[in-house]
């Protein structure tokens, strides 16, 4: 298990601020066991400059998994750092591409998720120079979860990216499939794709929410978005996230779970749960409740209820 956290501002008002949050994303991949590839043309973050044009990347990096399944089921992630859609704003923008190989000069092949933007600049007028914590983690070097600036308001800049291999009943990574999740104000996606599948194929299922089952009541309390369901208000019910697509053996994520917002607290909290036969520790937060790309859909009475994602947090 690996965890990584850093402080930065969602800010592109200077090259130094731009480099600081980009360096945090870079360090998160490395800290979670990923390896940067030798593809030519990759950006050097220490000399990277803010693009002068809106909706433009300053450069890219490519990382690959380094687990035992990488040789038979390779996974590569291309990350591009840049500027938001409005040139008058101070909002960062980041793009992710997921695939199975590269051509050695920055082109991803065997695409599992086409270039997808993570940005909440829609409707925003400015970034902020105030620094906030960001978090990253992985479970058994079988993926990565990145939660950037989760304490911020949704309209400003936070984003969420997660990728994880499928799991067996004991929680060991398998080659059956992959979970890919993006969350932001304007472009949420949760994709489950089977080995040998491709976007749009029968082995690929897309949603805008993590899939979990929230009962109507827990400990006699109604599952409203503001209620506290745990008996003591500290240990919250942890809900597993189901990963399913046609033709793919279903699994429960180890790296990600869902937490009821009334039990998550006003800031990040640590909670324990038994998932895939073992107890794990998870970090949850509340800011994600404010926009759909970063929540799980449950059910209360006849209306949907929102739960918050929580990432594994075991140093």
């Amino acid at each position: 298990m690996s965890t990584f956290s850093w402080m930065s501002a969602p800010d592109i008002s200077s090259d130094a601020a731009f480099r600081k949050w980009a360096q945090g994303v870079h360090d998160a991949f490395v800290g979670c066991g990923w390896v940067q590839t030798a593809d030519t043309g990759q950006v050097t973050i220490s000399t990277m400059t803010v693009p002068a044009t809106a909706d433009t990347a300053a450069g890219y990096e490519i990382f690959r998994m380094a687990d035992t399944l990488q040789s038979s089921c390779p996974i590569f992630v291309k990350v591009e750092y840049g500027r938001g859609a409005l040139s008058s704003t101070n909002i960062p923008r980041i793009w992710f591409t997921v695939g199975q190989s590269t051509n050695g000069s920055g082109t991803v092949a065997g695409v599992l998720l086409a270039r997808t933007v993570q940005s909440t600049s829609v409707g925003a007028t400015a970034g902020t120079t105030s620094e906030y914590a960001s978090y990253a983690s992985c479970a058994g070097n079988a993926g990565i979860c990145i939660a950037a600036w989760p304490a911020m308001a949704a309209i400003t800049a936070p984003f969420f990216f997660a990728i994880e291999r499928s799991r067996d009943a004991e929680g060991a990574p398998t080659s059956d499939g992959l979970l890919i999740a993006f969350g932001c104000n304007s472009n949420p996606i949760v994709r489950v794709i089977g080995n040998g599948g491709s976007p749009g194929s029968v082995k690929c299922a897309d949603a805008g929410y993590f899939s979990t089952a929230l009962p109507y009541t827990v400990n006699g309390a109604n599952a409203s978005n503001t209620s506290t369901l745990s008996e003591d208000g500290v240990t919250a019910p942890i809900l597993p996230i189901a990963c399913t697509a046609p033709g793919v053996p279903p699994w429960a994520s180890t790296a990600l779970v869902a937490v009821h917002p009334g039990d998550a607290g006003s800031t990040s909290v640590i909670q324990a749960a038994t998932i895939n036969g073992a107890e794990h520790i998870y970090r949850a937060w509340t800011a994600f409740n404010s926009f759909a790309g970063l929540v799980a859909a449950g059910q209360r009475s006849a209306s949907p209820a929102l739960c918050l994602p929580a990432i594994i947090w075991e140093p």
Side-chain angles (χ1 to χ4, degrees):
M1 305 295 177
S2 298
T3 61
F4 182 76
S5 61
W6 71 98
M7 297 293 295
S8 66
D11 181 21
I12 57 169
S13 63
S14 69
D15 292 338
F18 181 34
R19 294 165 186 167
K20 188 169 186 178
W21 65 260
Q23 187 67 52
V25 175
H26 169 98
D27 291 346
F29 273 95
V30 175
C32 289
W34 290 62
V35 175
Q36 188 171 2
T37 70
D39 282 72
T40 59
Q42 296 191 61
V43 72
T44 300
I45 292 178
S46 62
T47 58
M48 186 171 64
T49 58
V50 178
T53 305
D55 199 23
T56 301
Y60 74 89
E61 295 184 305
I62 297 181
F63 302 91
R64 63 168 177 83
M65 283 195 190
D67 64 342
T68 57
L69 294 175
Q70 180 68 11
S71 59
S72 58
C73 298
I75 300 298
F76 293 78
V77 175
K78 182 177 181 178
V79 186
E80 298 172 74
Y81 310 101
R83 175 177 213 116
L86 303 176
S87 58
S88 60
T89 69
N90 188 24
I91 304 293
R93 176 158 276 195
I94 190 167
W95 294 260
F96 292 94
T97 306
V98 180
Q100 297 170 294
S101 65
T102 76
N103 68 348
S105 57
T107 299
V108 175
V111 173
L112 301 175
L113 188 83
R115 186 176 188 255
T116 302
V117 65
Q118 293 282 272
S119 176
T120 56
S121 61
V122 176
T125 58
T128 176
T129 57
S130 300
E131 293 196 343
Y132 294 84
S134 296
Y135 306 100
S137 69
C138 66
N141 291 329
I144 189 171
C145 302
I146 300 176
W149 312 300
M152 294 195 64
I155 197 63
T156 309
F159 69 83
F160 181 78
F161 171 74
I163 185 168
E164 182 188 20
R165 293 195 189 275
S166 53
R167 304 278 177 170
D168 64 18
E170 286 72 45
T174 75
S175 60
D176 291 333
L178 194 69
L179 169 65
I180 307 171
F182 293 86
C184 67
N185 169 274
S186 58
N187 200 27
I189 185 171
V190 175
R191 172 166 293 175
V192 176
I193 188 165
N195 189 12
S198 60
S201 73
V202 69
K203 284 189 173 184
C204 181
D206 290 348
Y209 296 87
F210 292 117
S211 178
T212 190
L214 176 64
Y216 291 175
T217 64
V218 176
N219 291 324
N222 290 328
S224 71
N225 286 347
T226 58
S227 63
T228 298
L229 304 183
S230 60
E231 288 184 293
D232 55 12
V234 177
T235 304
I238 298 290
L239 306 170
I241 289 174
C243 303
T244 60
V248 183
W251 77 90
S253 173
T254 296
L256 290 159
V257 294
V259 178
H260 188 270
D263 291 303
S266 59
T267 59
S268 294
V269 293
I270 304 295
Q271 303 181 77
T274 299
I275 301 292
N276 290 324
E279 184 175 281
H280 297 289
I281 306 299
Y282 294 91
R283 176 182 286 275
W285 44 83
T286 59
F288 286 171
N289 190 33
S290 57
F291 49 107
L294 299 176
V295 297
Q299 186 76 21
R300 72 171 189 279
S301 301
S303 303
L306 304 181
C307 299
L308 307 176
I311 62 175
I312 198 162
W313 199 254
E314 297 175 349

mmCIF file of all heavy atoms in Angstrom, residues 232-282:
data_model
loop_
_atom_site.group_PDB
_atom_site.id
_atom_site.type_symbol
_atom_site.label_atom_id
_atom_site.label_comp_id
_atom_site.label_asym_id
_atom_site.label_seq_id
_atom_site.Cartn_x
_atom_site.Cartn_y
_atom_site.Cartn_z
ATOM 1 N N ASP A 232 -22.546 6.018 16.635
ATOM 2 C CA ASP A 232 -21.844 6.976 17.487
ATOM 3 C C ASP A 232 -21.404 8.223 16.737
ATOM 4 O O ASP A 232 -20.779 9.106 17.309
ATOM 5 C CB ASP A 232 -20.622 6.321 18.139
ATOM 6 C CG ASP A 232 -19.676 5.698 17.119
ATOM 7 O OD1 ASP A 232 -19.852 5.968 15.909
ATOM 8 O OD2 ASP A 232 -18.775 4.960 17.520
ATOM 9 N N GLY A 233 -21.708 8.320 15.454
ATOM 10 C CA GLY A 233 -21.325 9.501 14.695
ATOM 11 C C GLY A 233 -19.864 9.538 14.322
ATOM 12 O O GLY A 233 -19.386 10.517 13.771
ATOM 13 N N VAL A 234 -19.120 8.485 14.628
ATOM 14 C CA VAL A 234 -17.692 8.440 14.321
ATOM 15 C C VAL A 234 -17.410 7.336 13.312
ATOM 16 O O VAL A 234 -16.802 7.543 12.274
ATOM 17 C CB VAL A 234 -16.847 8.238 15.590
ATOM 18 C CG1 VAL A 234 -15.376 8.114 15.218
ATOM 19 C CG2 VAL A 234 -17.064 9.408 16.551
ATOM 20 N N THR A 235 -17.852 6.122 13.619
ATOM 21 C CA THR A 235 -17.622 4.987 12.727
ATOM 22 C C THR A 235 -18.788 4.881 11.761
ATOM 23 O O THR A 235 -19.883 4.468 12.121
ATOM 24 C CB THR A 235 -17.484 3.683 13.529
ATOM 25 O OG1 THR A 235 -16.444 3.832 14.482
ATOM 26 C CG2 THR A 235 -17.163 2.529 12.588
ATOM 27 N N ALA A 236 -18.561 5.289 10.538
ATOM 28 C CA ALA A 236 -19.643 5.343 9.559
ATOM 29 C C ALA A 236 -19.790 4.022 8.821
ATOM 30 O O ALA A 236 -18.825 3.276 8.669
ATOM 31 C CB ALA A 236 -19.367 6.462 8.562
ATOM 32 N N PRO A 237 -20.992 3.732 8.330
ATOM 33 C CA PRO A 237 -21.135 2.588 7.427
ATOM 34 C C PRO A 237 -20.324 2.815 6.149
ATOM 35 O O PRO A 237 -20.408 3.867 5.535
ATOM 36 C CB PRO A 237 -22.641 2.580 7.115
ATOM 37 C CG PRO A 237 -23.275 3.375 8.199
ATOM 38 C CD PRO A 237 -22.275 4.403 8.592
ATOM 39 N N ILE A 238 -19.533 1.840 5.789
ATOM 40 C CA ILE A 238 -18.748 1.883 4.563
ATOM 41 C C ILE A 238 -19.437 1.000 3.534
ATOM 42 O O ILE A 238 -19.762 -0.151 3.812
ATOM 43 C CB ILE A 238 -17.312 1.382 4.807
ATOM 44 C CG1 ILE A 238 -16.591 2.277 5.798
ATOM 45 C CG2 ILE A 238 -16.536 1.294 3.502
ATOM 46 C CD1 ILE A 238 -16.248 3.648 5.292
ATOM 47 N N LEU A 239 -19.661 1.524 2.349
ATOM 48 C CA LEU A 239 -20.412 0.809 1.326
ATOM 49 C C LEU A 239 -19.481 0.399 0.197
ATOM 50 O O LEU A 239 -18.791 1.243 -0.386
ATOM 51 C CB LEU A 239 -21.518 1.708 0.777
ATOM 52 C CG LEU A 239 -22.452 2.312 1.832
ATOM 53 C CD1 LEU A 239 -23.341 3.378 1.213
ATOM 54 C CD2 LEU A 239 -23.280 1.229 2.501
ATOM 55 N N PRO A 240 -19.419 -0.884 -0.145
ATOM 56 C CA PRO A 240 -18.552 -1.311 -1.252
ATOM 57 C C PRO A 240 -19.042 -0.786 -2.577
ATOM 58 O O PRO A 240 -20.237 -0.541 -2.776
ATOM 59 C CB PRO A 240 -18.632 -2.846 -1.185
ATOM 60 C CG PRO A 240 -19.907 -3.136 -0.480
ATOM 61 C CD PRO A 240 -20.134 -2.005 0.470
ATOM 62 N N ILE A 241 -18.110 -0.583 -3.499
ATOM 63 C CA ILE A 241 -18.419 -0.118 -4.848
ATOM 64 C C ILE A 241 -18.340 -1.301 -5.805
ATOM 65 O O ILE A 241 -17.300 -1.959 -5.920
ATOM 66 C CB ILE A 241 -17.458 0.993 -5.276
ATOM 67 C CG1 ILE A 241 -17.762 2.276 -4.481
ATOM 68 C CG2 ILE A 241 -17.549 1.260 -6.776
ATOM 69 C CD1 ILE A 241 -16.792 3.394 -4.725
ATOM 70 N N ALA A 242 -19.442 -1.574 -6.474
ATOM 71 C CA ALA A 242 -19.509 -2.704 -7.403
ATOM 72 C C ALA A 242 -19.001 -2.286 -8.773
ATOM 73 O O ALA A 242 -19.301 -1.202 -9.261
ATOM 74 C CB ALA A 242 -20.942 -3.195 -7.506
ATOM 75 N N CYS A 243 -18.217 -3.162 -9.395
ATOM 76 C CA CYS A 243 -17.662 -2.919 -10.729
ATOM 77 C C CYS A 243 -18.195 -4.005 -11.662
ATOM 78 O O CYS A 243 -17.832 -5.178 -11.520
ATOM 79 C CB CYS A 243 -16.134 -2.954 -10.693
ATOM 80 S SG CYS A 243 -15.405 -1.770 -9.547
ATOM 81 N N THR A 244 -19.034 -3.617 -12.605
ATOM 82 C CA THR A 244 -19.676 -4.603 -13.479
ATOM 83 C C THR A 244 -19.732 -4.098 -14.915
ATOM 84 O O THR A 244 -19.889 -2.902 -15.169
ATOM 85 C CB THR A 244 -21.117 -4.906 -13.017
ATOM 86 O OG1 THR A 244 -21.888 -3.707 -13.054
ATOM 87 C CG2 THR A 244 -21.136 -5.469 -11.609
ATOM 88 N N ALA A 245 -19.585 -5.020 -15.831
ATOM 89 C CA ALA A 245 -19.802 -4.778 -17.259
ATOM 90 C C ALA A 245 -20.173 -6.123 -17.882
ATOM 91 O O ALA A 245 -19.736 -7.177 -17.399
ATOM 92 C CB ALA A 245 -18.540 -4.205 -17.917
ATOM 93 N N PRO A 246 -20.975 -6.144 -18.931
ATOM 94 C CA PRO A 246 -21.362 -7.408 -19.561
ATOM 95 C C PRO A 246 -20.143 -8.224 -19.992
ATOM 96 O O PRO A 246 -19.191 -7.683 -20.575
ATOM 97 C CB PRO A 246 -22.174 -6.961 -20.777
ATOM 98 C CG PRO A 246 -22.714 -5.625 -20.391
ATOM 99 C CD PRO A 246 -21.633 -4.987 -19.572
ATOM 100 N N GLY A 247 -20.158 -9.496 -19.674
ATOM 101 C CA GLY A 247 -19.081 -10.385 -20.073
ATOM 102 C C GLY A 247 -17.832 -10.300 -19.224
ATOM 103 O O GLY A 247 -16.822 -10.931 -19.542
ATOM 104 N N VAL A 248 -17.892 -9.522 -18.136
ATOM 105 C CA VAL A 248 -16.734 -9.341 -17.259
ATOM 106 C C VAL A 248 -17.100 -9.838 -15.868
ATOM 107 O O VAL A 248 -18.141 -9.441 -15.325
ATOM 108 C CB VAL A 248 -16.322 -7.861 -17.184
ATOM 109 C CG1 VAL A 248 -15.074 -7.691 -16.316
ATOM 110 C CG2 VAL A 248 -16.080 -7.299 -18.574
ATOM 111 N N PRO A 249 -16.279 -10.702 -15.247
ATOM 112 C CA PRO A 249 -16.582 -11.129 -13.885
ATOM 113 C C PRO A 249 -16.683 -9.920 -12.953
ATOM 114 O O PRO A 249 -15.777 -9.088 -12.924
ATOM 115 C CB PRO A 249 -15.384 -12.021 -13.515
ATOM 116 C CG PRO A 249 -14.854 -12.495 -14.824
ATOM 117 C CD PRO A 249 -15.069 -11.355 -15.774
ATOM 118 N N PRO A 250 -17.786 -9.760 -12.220
ATOM 119 C CA PRO A 250 -17.942 -8.588 -11.359
ATOM 120 C C PRO A 250 -16.969 -8.641 -10.180
ATOM 121 O O PRO A 250 -16.553 -9.717 -9.747
ATOM 122 C CB PRO A 250 -19.392 -8.689 -10.887
ATOM 123 C CG PRO A 250 -19.718 -10.142 -10.983
ATOM 124 C CD PRO A 250 -18.947 -10.665 -12.152
ATOM 125 N N TRP A 251 -16.622 -7.468 -9.670
ATOM 126 C CA TRP A 251 -15.743 -7.402 -8.509
ATOM 127 C C TRP A 251 -16.077 -6.179 -7.674
ATOM 128 O O TRP A 251 -16.789 -5.276 -8.132
ATOM 129 C CB TRP A 251 -14.279 -7.399 -8.937
ATOM 130 C CG TRP A 251 -13.751 -6.090 -9.483
ATOM 131 C CD1 TRP A 251 -13.161 -5.073 -8.801
ATOM 132 C CD2 TRP A 251 -13.751 -5.678 -10.858
ATOM 133 N NE1 TRP A 251 -12.799 -4.055 -9.644
ATOM 134 C CE2 TRP A 251 -13.147 -4.395 -10.918
ATOM 135 C CE3 TRP A 251 -14.203 -6.253 -12.051
ATOM 136 C CZ2 TRP A 251 -12.986 -3.690 -12.120
ATOM 137 C CZ3 TRP A 251 -14.053 -5.547 -13.244
ATOM 138 C CH2 TRP A 251 -13.444 -4.291 -13.266
ATOM 139 N N ALA A 252 -15.578 -6.152 -6.453
ATOM 140 C CA ALA A 252 -15.693 -4.986 -5.581
ATOM 141 C C ALA A 252 -14.338 -4.308 -5.516
ATOM 142 O O ALA A 252 -13.304 -4.959 -5.350
ATOM 143 C CB ALA A 252 -16.146 -5.396 -4.184
ATOM 144 N N SER A 253 -14.337 -3.002 -5.658
ATOM 145 C CA SER A 253 -13.090 -2.248 -5.583
ATOM 146 C C SER A 253 -12.493 -2.331 -4.190
ATOM 147 O O SER A 253 -13.207 -2.282 -3.186
ATOM 148 C CB SER A 253 -13.345 -0.785 -5.951
ATOM 149 O OG SER A 253 -12.189 -0.004 -5.734
ATOM 150 N N THR A 254 -11.184 -2.470 -4.126
ATOM 151 C CA THR A 254 -10.471 -2.378 -2.851
ATOM 152 C C THR A 254 -9.989 -0.952 -2.609
ATOM 153 O O THR A 254 -9.972 -0.471 -1.487
ATOM 154 C CB THR A 254 -9.266 -3.336 -2.827
ATOM 155 O OG1 THR A 254 -9.741 -4.685 -2.909
ATOM 156 C CG2 THR A 254 -8.451 -3.181 -1.547
ATOM 157 N N ALA A 255 -9.624 -0.257 -3.663
ATOM 158 C CA ALA A 255 -9.052 1.081 -3.526
ATOM 159 C C ALA A 255 -10.096 2.135 -3.213
ATOM 160 O O ALA A 255 -9.773 3.190 -2.665
ATOM 161 C CB ALA A 255 -8.306 1.465 -4.801
ATOM 162 N N LEU A 256 -11.365 1.879 -3.563
ATOM 163 C CA LEU A 256 -12.426 2.874 -3.417
ATOM 164 C C LEU A 256 -13.635 2.280 -2.716
ATOM 165 O O LEU A 256 -14.021 1.135 -2.978
ATOM 166 C CB LEU A 256 -12.862 3.380 -4.794
ATOM 167 C CG LEU A 256 -11.866 4.253 -5.552
ATOM 168 C CD1 LEU A 256 -12.192 4.233 -7.034
ATOM 169 C CD2 LEU A 256 -11.902 5.674 -5.021
ATOM 170 N N VAL A 257 -14.229 3.052 -1.824
ATOM 171 C CA VAL A 257 -15.504 2.702 -1.209
ATOM 172 C C VAL A 257 -16.357 3.968 -1.187
ATOM 173 O O VAL A 257 -15.907 5.043 -1.568
ATOM 174 C CB VAL A 257 -15.330 2.148 0.223
ATOM 175 C CG1 VAL A 257 -14.606 0.817 0.210
ATOM 176 C CG2 VAL A 257 -14.602 3.171 1.110
ATOM 177 N N ALA A 258 -17.603 3.828 -0.737
ATOM 178 C CA ALA A 258 -18.495 4.974 -0.590
ATOM 179 C C ALA A 258 -18.846 5.165 0.879
ATOM 180 O O ALA A 258 -18.974 4.197 1.631
ATOM 181 C CB ALA A 258 -19.765 4.765 -1.408
ATOM 182 N N VAL A 259 -18.987 6.434 1.272
ATOM 183 C CA VAL A 259 -19.323 6.792 2.650
ATOM 184 C C VAL A 259 -20.513 7.742 2.616
ATOM 185 O O VAL A 259 -20.567 8.661 1.797
ATOM 186 C CB VAL A 259 -18.133 7.480 3.359
ATOM 187 C CG1 VAL A 259 -18.510 7.898 4.769
ATOM 188 C CG2 VAL A 259 -16.934 6.550 3.387
ATOM 189 N N HIS A 260 -21.476 7.546 3.497
ATOM 190 C CA HIS A 260 -22.618 8.439 3.562
ATOM 191 C C HIS A 260 -22.162 9.833 3.988
ATOM 192 O O HIS A 260 -21.363 9.984 4.913
ATOM 193 C CB HIS A 260 -23.641 7.892 4.552
ATOM 194 C CG HIS A 260 -24.937 8.635 4.542
ATOM 195 N ND1 HIS A 260 -25.165 9.715 5.358
ATOM 196 C CD2 HIS A 260 -26.055 8.475 3.784
ATOM 197 C CE1 HIS A 260 -26.385 10.191 5.107
ATOM 198 N NE2 HIS A 260 -26.935 9.453 4.170
ATOM 199 N N PRO A 261 -22.642 10.896 3.311
ATOM 200 C CA PRO A 261 -22.132 12.240 3.605
ATOM 201 C C PRO A 261 -22.345 12.685 5.041
ATOM 202 O O PRO A 261 -21.527 13.432 5.590
ATOM 203 C CB PRO A 261 -22.897 13.138 2.618
ATOM 204 C CG PRO A 261 -24.057 12.345 2.167
ATOM 205 C CD PRO A 261 -23.619 10.926 2.202
ATOM 206 N N GLY A 262 -23.436 12.237 5.664
ATOM 207 C CA GLY A 262 -23.671 12.624 7.049
ATOM 208 C C GLY A 262 -22.676 12.039 8.026
ATOM 209 O O GLY A 262 -22.561 12.489 9.163
ATOM 210 N N ASP A 263 -21.945 11.013 7.596
ATOM 211 C CA ASP A 263 -20.968 10.363 8.464
ATOM 212 C C ASP A 263 -19.532 10.737 8.127
ATOM 213 O O ASP A 263 -18.607 10.328 8.818
ATOM 214 C CB ASP A 263 -21.104 8.839 8.358
ATOM 215 C CG ASP A 263 -22.397 8.349 8.960
ATOM 216 O OD1 ASP A 263 -22.641 8.619 10.142
ATOM 217 O OD2 ASP A 263 -23.174 7.717 8.234
ATOM 218 N N ALA A 264 -19.319 11.478 7.065
ATOM 219 C CA ALA A 264 -17.959 11.772 6.626
ATOM 220 C C ALA A 264 -17.327 12.915 7.400
ATOM 221 O O ALA A 264 -16.114 13.060 7.400
ATOM 222 C CB ALA A 264 -17.942 12.088 5.130
ATOM 223 N N GLY A 265 -18.127 13.755 8.040
ATOM 224 C CA GLY A 265 -17.564 14.871 8.784
ATOM 225 C C GLY A 265 -17.359 16.082 7.906
ATOM 226 O O GLY A 265 -17.578 16.054 6.700
ATOM 227 N N SER A 266 -16.919 17.166 8.500
ATOM 228 C CA SER A 266 -16.741 18.408 7.766
ATOM 229 C C SER A 266 -15.386 18.497 7.082
ATOM 230 O O SER A 266 -15.164 19.361 6.238
ATOM 231 C CB SER A 266 -16.900 19.605 8.710
ATOM 232 O OG SER A 266 -15.953 19.530 9.762
ATOM 233 N N THR A 267 -14.459 17.618 7.424
ATOM 234 C CA THR A 267 -13.158 17.544 6.770
ATOM 235 C C THR A 267 -12.824 16.085 6.519
ATOM 236 O O THR A 267 -13.572 15.197 6.921
ATOM 237 C CB THR A 267 -12.055 18.183 7.636
ATOM 238 O OG1 THR A 267 -12.004 17.499 8.899
ATOM 239 C CG2 THR A 267 -12.334 19.666 7.884
ATOM 240 N N SER A 268 -11.699 15.821 5.884
ATOM 241 C CA SER A 268 -11.297 14.444 5.629
ATOM 242 C C SER A 268 -11.235 13.657 6.921
ATOM 243 O O SER A 268 -10.723 14.133 7.931
ATOM 244 C CB SER A 268 -9.926 14.414 4.945
ATOM 245 O OG SER A 268 -9.996 14.979 3.666
ATOM 246 N N VAL A 269 -11.754 12.453 6.892
ATOM 247 C CA VAL A 269 -11.714 11.580 8.063
ATOM 248 C C VAL A 269 -11.243 10.196 7.636
ATOM 249 O O VAL A 269 -11.329 9.821 6.467
ATOM 250 C CB VAL A 269 -13.092 11.478 8.740
ATOM 251 C CG1 VAL A 269 -13.485 12.804 9.359
ATOM 252 C CG2 VAL A 269 -14.156 11.012 7.766
ATOM 253 N N ILE A 270 -10.746 9.447 8.575
ATOM 254 C CA ILE A 270 -10.248 8.097 8.335
ATOM 255 C C ILE A 270 -11.241 7.103 8.911
ATOM 256 O O ILE A 270 -11.677 7.237 10.051
ATOM 257 C CB ILE A 270 -8.867 7.896 8.981
ATOM 258 C CG1 ILE A 270 -7.884 8.953 8.485
ATOM 259 C CG2 ILE A 270 -8.351 6.491 8.725
ATOM 260 C CD1 ILE A 270 -7.573 8.875 7.019
ATOM 261 N N GLN A 271 -11.603 6.100 8.113
ATOM 262 C CA GLN A 271 -12.554 5.107 8.567
ATOM 263 C C GLN A 271 -12.115 3.720 8.110
ATOM 264 O O GLN A 271 -11.419 3.581 7.111
ATOM 265 C CB GLN A 271 -13.947 5.437 8.017
ATOM 266 C CG GLN A 271 -14.399 6.838 8.432
ATOM 267 C CD GLN A 271 -15.776 7.178 7.931
ATOM 268 O OE1 GLN A 271 -16.744 6.714 8.493
ATOM 269 N NE2 GLN A 271 -15.854 7.986 6.892
ATOM 270 N N ALA A 272 -12.531 2.697 8.847
ATOM 271 C CA ALA A 272 -12.133 1.323 8.573
ATOM 272 C C ALA A 272 -13.302 0.536 7.997
ATOM 273 O O ALA A 272 -14.461 0.816 8.298
ATOM 274 C CB ALA A 272 -11.627 0.649 9.843
ATOM 275 N N ALA A 273 -12.994 -0.448 7.185
ATOM 276 C CA ALA A 273 -14.022 -1.320 6.631
ATOM 277 C C ALA A 273 -13.387 -2.628 6.192
ATOM 278 O O ALA A 273 -12.209 -2.672 5.829
ATOM 279 C CB ALA A 273 -14.708 -0.662 5.444
ATOM 280 N N THR A 274 -14.180 -3.689 6.235
ATOM 281 C CA THR A 274 -13.739 -4.976 5.709
ATOM 282 C C THR A 274 -14.242 -5.105 4.281
ATOM 283 O O THR A 274 -15.455 -5.158 4.040
ATOM 284 C CB THR A 274 -14.255 -6.133 6.571
ATOM 285 O OG1 THR A 274 -13.731 -6.001 7.890
ATOM 286 C CG2 THR A 274 -13.827 -7.473 5.994
ATOM 287 N N ILE A 275 -13.311 -5.106 3.340
ATOM 288 C CA ILE A 275 -13.623 -5.199 1.922
ATOM 289 C C ILE A 275 -12.800 -6.327 1.327
ATOM 290 O O ILE A 275 -11.595 -6.438 1.593
ATOM 291 C CB ILE A 275 -13.300 -3.883 1.181
ATOM 292 C CG1 ILE A 275 -14.101 -2.724 1.773
ATOM 293 C CG2 ILE A 275 -13.570 -4.017 -0.314
ATOM 294 C CD1 ILE A 275 -15.588 -2.789 1.530
ATOM 295 N N ASN A 276 -13.427 -7.191 0.541
ATOM 296 C CA ASN A 276 -12.737 -8.323 -0.085
ATOM 297 C C ASN A 276 -11.986 -9.173 0.938
ATOM 298 O O ASN A 276 -10.865 -9.601 0.715
ATOM 299 C CB ASN A 276 -11.784 -7.833 -1.181
ATOM 300 C CG ASN A 276 -12.523 -7.290 -2.386
ATOM 301 O OD1 ASN A 276 -13.579 -7.795 -2.756
ATOM 302 N ND2 ASN A 276 -11.969 -6.257 -3.004
ATOM 303 N N GLY A 277 -12.623 -9.385 2.077
ATOM 304 C CA GLY A 277 -12.101 -10.309 3.073
ATOM 305 C C GLY A 277 -11.023 -9.771 3.996
ATOM 306 O O GLY A 277 -10.470 -10.517 4.800
ATOM 307 N N ALA A 278 -10.701 -8.489 3.915
ATOM 308 C CA ALA A 278 -9.667 -7.923 4.776
ATOM 309 C C ALA A 278 -10.067 -6.526 5.213
ATOM 310 O O ALA A 278 -10.762 -5.814 4.494
ATOM 311 C CB ALA A 278 -8.321 -7.877 4.055
ATOM 312 N N GLU A 279 -9.619 -6.128 6.407
ATOM 313 C CA GLU A 279 -9.928 -4.790 6.886
ATOM 314 C C GLU A 279 -8.965 -3.779 6.289
ATOM 315 O O GLU A 279 -7.757 -3.988 6.266
ATOM 316 C CB GLU A 279 -9.859 -4.717 8.411
ATOM 317 C CG GLU A 279 -10.275 -3.346 8.956
ATOM 318 C CD GLU A 279 -10.334 -3.292 10.464
ATOM 319 O OE1 GLU A 279 -11.324 -3.778 11.038
ATOM 320 O OE2 GLU A 279 -9.372 -2.776 11.066
ATOM 321 N N HIS A 280 -9.530 -2.684 5.796
ATOM 322 C CA HIS A 280 -8.732 -1.614 5.206
ATOM 323 C C HIS A 280 -9.135 -0.278 5.810
ATOM 324 O O HIS A 280 -10.221 -0.134 6.365
ATOM 325 C CB HIS A 280 -8.925 -1.571 3.687
ATOM 326 C CG HIS A 280 -8.475 -2.801 2.978
ATOM 327 N ND1 HIS A 280 -7.148 -3.146 2.838
ATOM 328 C CD2 HIS A 280 -9.190 -3.797 2.378
ATOM 329 C CE1 HIS A 280 -7.048 -4.281 2.162
ATOM 330 N NE2 HIS A 280 -8.269 -4.695 1.874
ATOM 331 N N ILE A 281 -8.254 0.699 5.671
ATOM 332 C CA ILE A 281 -8.496 2.041 6.164
ATOM 333 C C ILE A 281 -8.732 2.963 4.965
ATOM 334 O O ILE A 281 -8.010 2.895 3.961
ATOM 335 C CB ILE A 281 -7.297 2.561 6.990
ATOM 336 C CG1 ILE A 281 -6.944 1.568 8.099
ATOM 337 C CG2 ILE A 281 -7.601 3.933 7.571
ATOM 338 C CD1 ILE A 281 -8.058 1.335 9.096
ATOM 339 N N TYR A 282 -9.736 3.851 5.078
ATOM 340 C CA TYR A 282 -10.109 4.729 3.977
ATOM 341 C C TYR A 282 -10.191 6.187 4.429
ATOM 342 O O TYR A 282 -10.549 6.476 5.565
ATOM 343 C CB TYR A 282 -11.465 4.301 3.382
ATOM 344 C CG TYR A 282 -11.408 2.955 2.718
ATOM 345 C CD1 TYR A 282 -11.684 1.791 3.435
ATOM 346 C CD2 TYR A 282 -11.051 2.828 1.382
ATOM 347 C CE1 TYR A 282 -11.614 0.540 2.825
ATOM 348 C CE2 TYR A 282 -10.978 1.586 0.765
ATOM 349 C CZ TYR A 282 -11.259 0.449 1.488
ATOM 350 O OH TYR A 282 -11.181 -0.794 0.889
#
